[in-house]
Amino acid sequence: MSRAKDLAKKNSLRIKRKKRVRGNIFGTAELPRVSFFKSNKYISAQAINDVEGKTLAAVNSQTMNLNVNKENAVKVAATFAETLKAAGIDTVVFDRNGYLYHGVVAAFADALRDNGIKL
């Protein structure tokens, strides 16, 4: 029973961080917001224009048959960078979605920078 409470507390704290971070981040067509999400199995990211509420580009590690680790986060970020460049986007605002900036999240962001996307 305490494991369920621990997971609920962990998720509620992430949601609080997410709301706090999202209050300061906003995406436009020229400067979209890159929303990062990770589960225990997969990573996904979207470039979002918040003015129109449209997704400009997206990537998911499930379609690439990759699980969640730093090396695969780099591969997913490289694919996402190509997708962003094809859409004409070279500068974005990074939304870590309430996750702490280390591990897979930091590897993804650094790989985006290494592939020519300015955060």
Side-chain angles (χ1 to χ4, degrees), residues 41-44 58-67 76 79:
K41 290 186 175 184
Y42 304 112
I43 300 169
S44 64
V59 68
N60 190 342
S61 67
Q62 186 174 7
T63 60
M64 301 168 65
N65 293 323
L66 299 173
N67 57 2
V76 172
T79 304

Side-chain angles (χ1 to χ4, degrees), residues 1-78:
M1 188 70 170
S2 78
R3 180 169 164 80
K5 286 183 182 179
D6 291 344
L7 289 175
K9 176 142 177 107
K10 183 177 178 181
N11 280 335
S12 70
L13 290 175
R14 186 184 76 80
I15 298 298
K16 285 172 85 171
R17 281 192 306 271
K18 177 181 177 177
K19 288 180 181 178
R20 188 168 54 236
V21 169
R22 257 308 261 129
N24 298 323
I25 295 176
F26 193 78
T28 63
E30 298 81 27
L31 189 68
R33 172 175 60 94
V34 171
S35 178
F36 177 84
F37 178 78
K38 70 180 179 102
S39 69
N40 289 335
K41 290 186 175 184
Y42 304 112
I43 300 169
S44 64
Q46 296 180 1
I48 302 169
N49 175 358
D50 288 320
V51 175
E52 297 178 7
K54 291 187 177 180
T55 300
L56 306 175
V59 68
N60 190 342
S61 67
Q62 186 174 7
T63 60
M64 301 168 65
N65 293 323
L66 299 173
N67 57 2
V68 177
N69 58 37
K70 289 183 196 178
E71 294 81 21
N72 290 343
V74 171
K75 293 175 188 175
V76 172

